[in-house]
Amino acid sequence: LAITISICIQGCIVIGNWEWTLGVIVLLITWFTFISQLRYIPYFGIYVVMVEIVLESFFKFCCVLILYLLAFAMCFHILLPSSFGDFGTSIITVWVMMMGEMGYTDLPSSDDGQMLGESRWLFHALFVVFLITLSLILMNLLTGIVITDVATINTESCYRILKMQIKHSLGVERL
């Protein structure tokens, strides 16, 4: 891929958009495969498995989180269609707001005139409910889930590493 990129930059080969997209996807999959192979190295393995366990907990938690994101994305998209764009952009914007990267001052002020009708009070109330629900409660709940599982994650990751090493060794012996 690096050779192709350097050739394309020099202007010798024209690569289509789908090829760049496929290259990026393959590159990401390659890195994830490399990282998953680090599980067999004693020092890195425990941390790779810890990340996998945290991701499992996060994906279980995501079922509830997605419902809240959809609810607030729909409401903000209806109230401020010009600021929240299409519905997909609205979901991403609400996700970013939940992470704390976009605050109240980044949103349109009451002087912009972008809100529908006299819905400024509704927007302010919805924003406060959003801050309490997603930014405070759900983000702290997610942090609490990860923190309470640290001891379990550490012991479970050791067992998983031993189990993977045994499977790997048995697979090599069968060859």
Side-chain angles (χ1 to χ4, degrees):
L1 184 63
I3 296 170
T4 307
I5 290 172
S6 65
I7 291 173
C8 184
I9 290 173
Q10 294 173 0
C12 299
I13 296 176
V14 177
I15 296 180
N17 194 21
W18 69 272
E19 291 168 325
W20 282 105
T21 304
L22 183 62
V24 167
I25 292 170
V26 168
L27 183 65
L28 186 65
I29 291 171
T30 303
W31 272 103
F32 281 168
T33 304
F34 172 70
I35 292 169
S36 72
Q37 293 302 313
L38 289 177
R39 290 183 286 186
Y40 300 111
I41 299 174
Y43 179 75
F44 295 112
I46 194 165
Y47 299 110
V48 173
V49 173
M50 283 178 146
V51 168
E52 290 174 356
I53 293 170
V54 170
L55 282 174
E56 287 176 12
S57 297
F58 175 72
F59 286 129
K60 290 176 187 175
F61 180 74
C62 265
C63 297
V64 174
L65 182 64
I66 287 172
L67 295 175
Y68 281 103
L69 283 174
L70 289 174
F72 282 105
M74 285 181 190
C75 293
F76 284 136
H77 177 68
I78 291 171
L79 285 175
L80 296 166
S82 60
S83 295
F84 282 85
D86 60 352
F87 187 62
T89 305
S90 181
I91 293 173
I92 293 171
T93 304
V94 169
W95 181 271
V96 169
M97 287 170 56
M98 183 185 76
M99 298 296 166
E101 292 297 321
M102 184 175 173
Y104 185 74
T105 57
D106 298 328
L107 295 173
S109 64
S110 58
D111 299 332
D112 291 341
Q114 295 179 355
M115 291 186 209
L116 297 175
E118 296 296 324
S119 58
R120 287 185 183 94
W121 67 271
L122 180 60
F123 171 74
H124 294 293
L126 186 66
F127 191 74
V128 168
V129 171
F130 168 80
L131 287 176
I132 293 170
T133 306
L134 286 178
S135 295
L136 291 176
I137 295 174
L138 288 179
M139 290 302 290
N140 285 325
L141 180 63
L142 181 61
T143 305
I145 289 171
V146 172
I147 288 174
T148 55
D149 289 342
V150 167
T152 307
I153 287 171
N154 197 7
T155 57
E156 187 176 334
S157 61
C158 290
Y159 292 132
R160 281 191 184 189
I161 287 173
L162 291 173
K163 182 179 169 183
M164 287 185 294
Q165 288 174 345
I166 291 170
K167 282 184 179 180
H168 184 66
S169 299
L170 290 174
V172 170
E173 283 184 12
R174 288 183 190 158
L175 295 175

